[in-house]
Amino acid sequence: MPAGRSRAPYRGGVSHHHHSSANRTRLTIVLGIVGAVLVIEVVGAIFTGSLALFADAGHMFSDTIGLAVALTATVIAARPATERATFGFQRAEVFGALVNGGILLAVAIAVGYQAVTRLVYPGDVEIQSLPMLLVAALGLAANVAAALILRPQAGSSINMRGAYLEVLGDLLGSVAAIVAAVVILTTGFMPADAIASLAIALMIAPRAVFLLRDAVRVLSESVPVDTSVAEIREHLLQTPGVVEVHDVHVWAITSGHPVFSAHVVVADEVFADQDTGRLLDELSACLADHFDVAHSTFQLEPEEHAQHEERFHS
């Protein structure tokens, strides 16, 4: 490696492998729960004639696909880096989240369209409210269990967050179906089913958009939302021997794994005293300790070189 450059070793490998294994276990359990309830809700929707149950079953179906995608993504993401994929395959999780967000949005649009259609053209719809209530209650119990399983890992991975949001949406959908069933059972107001379906669609859509936004932000290599480039630069400038910091780049391989690179102009005496090793250690520690950046690259430049470097970046 050329003098003056430092690439801090990526220290998240073991931790990431541990998290990936835990994520796979959680996703497998939840996939089994959701798949079983999906079958029950489809049968229940056909038997009761409930659009709300059908909407929840449709969401369950999207969850089943989404969870399978998420599970596949965690398996791929756990693969080690290669000469062709030097950062490894962790970004597979982001692609998984992108697919999940697209599925969620498609389900929201389809369910919303059907709900509005039924409200505008109600027809002669008879809904079996008691079986609908029982099936929705079973779906709620299953979704609560699934959400509790996924929640501990939802903050550590955009892929797991996508899976958690899907299950959470199902939970809210089950609540809406229960409310609709109770209203129909006690008052006979059949449009409550379509209204609940529309509410489910409206709950799904914003979360789908947010998930897609987060995935696109990572794929476009934007600065992570909770990271301030100005604050990082200010911290680095406080390191003794640092004169200027420029050409700063911060992006993320996947959620929770930021990467940093910068050119650092250093006082001449640092090079004269051959003290660059100490400075590189301090800069790397600054990022790791204050900003949780485990993978950083610095190009150290003497002040004289920095004065004419701009022509190389034109």
Side-chain angles (χ1 to χ4, degrees), residues 190-207:
M190 295 299 171
D193 180 65
I195 293 172
S197 303
L198 187 59
I200 293 172
L202 292 175
M203 286 186 289
I204 297 172
R207 292 179 296 104

Side-chain angles (χ1 to χ4, degrees), residues 62-268:
S62 76
D63 278 1
T64 303
I65 297 176
L67 288 167
V69 170
L71 182 59
T72 302
T74 59
V75 173
I76 295 174
R79 294 172 58 190
T82 67
E83 291 294 327
R84 300 293 296 175
T86 55
F87 277 110
F89 297 86
Q90 296 178 45
R91 190 158 280 184
E93 295 185 342
V94 184
F95 286 109
L98 189 67
V99 171
N100 284 352
I103 292 172
L104 281 170
L105 190 58
V107 169
I109 293 172
V111 169
Y113 174 78
Q114 290 296 328
V116 171
T117 300
R118 185 174 286 192
L119 285 172
V120 175
Y121 307 104
D124 188 15
V125 179
E126 185 67 30
I127 297 171
Q128 303 296 320
S129 55
L130 184 56
M132 174 185 172
L133 177 60
L134 295 176
V135 173
L138 178 62
L140 176 62
N143 284 317
V144 168
L148 290 175
I149 292 171
L150 293 177
R151 183 177 179 180
Q153 299 298 108
S156 64
S157 162
I158 189 174
N159 185 47
M160 292 297 289
R161 184 160 75 250
Y164 174 70
L165 287 175
E166 287 184 337
V167 171
L168 190 63
D170 268 345
L171 189 155
L172 296 174
S174 295
V175 170
I178 289 173
V179 171
V182 170
V183 170
I184 296 171
L185 186 63
T186 56
T187 68
F189 183 65
M190 295 299 171
D193 180 65
I195 293 172
S197 303
L198 187 59
I200 293 172
L202 292 175
M203 286 186 289
I204 297 172
R207 292 179 296 104
V209 171
F210 292 149
L211 184 59
L212 288 171
R213 179 202 62 187
D214 291 344
V216 170
R217 179 179 286 131
V218 173
L219 293 176
S220 63
E221 298 190 343
S222 299
V223 175
V225 67
D226 55 348
T227 301
S228 169
V229 173
E231 187 178 354
I232 292 178
R233 184 184 286 109
E234 184 64 28
H235 266 264
L236 295 178
L237 285 171
Q238 293 175 11
T239 306
V242 174
V243 176
E244 182 187 348
V245 178
H246 62 99
D247 282 352
V248 176
H249 301 282
V250 188
W251 70 101
I253 303 302
T254 184
S255 58
H257 293 275
V259 180
F260 176 91
S261 70
H263 290 205
V264 180
V265 181
V266 178
D268 291 337

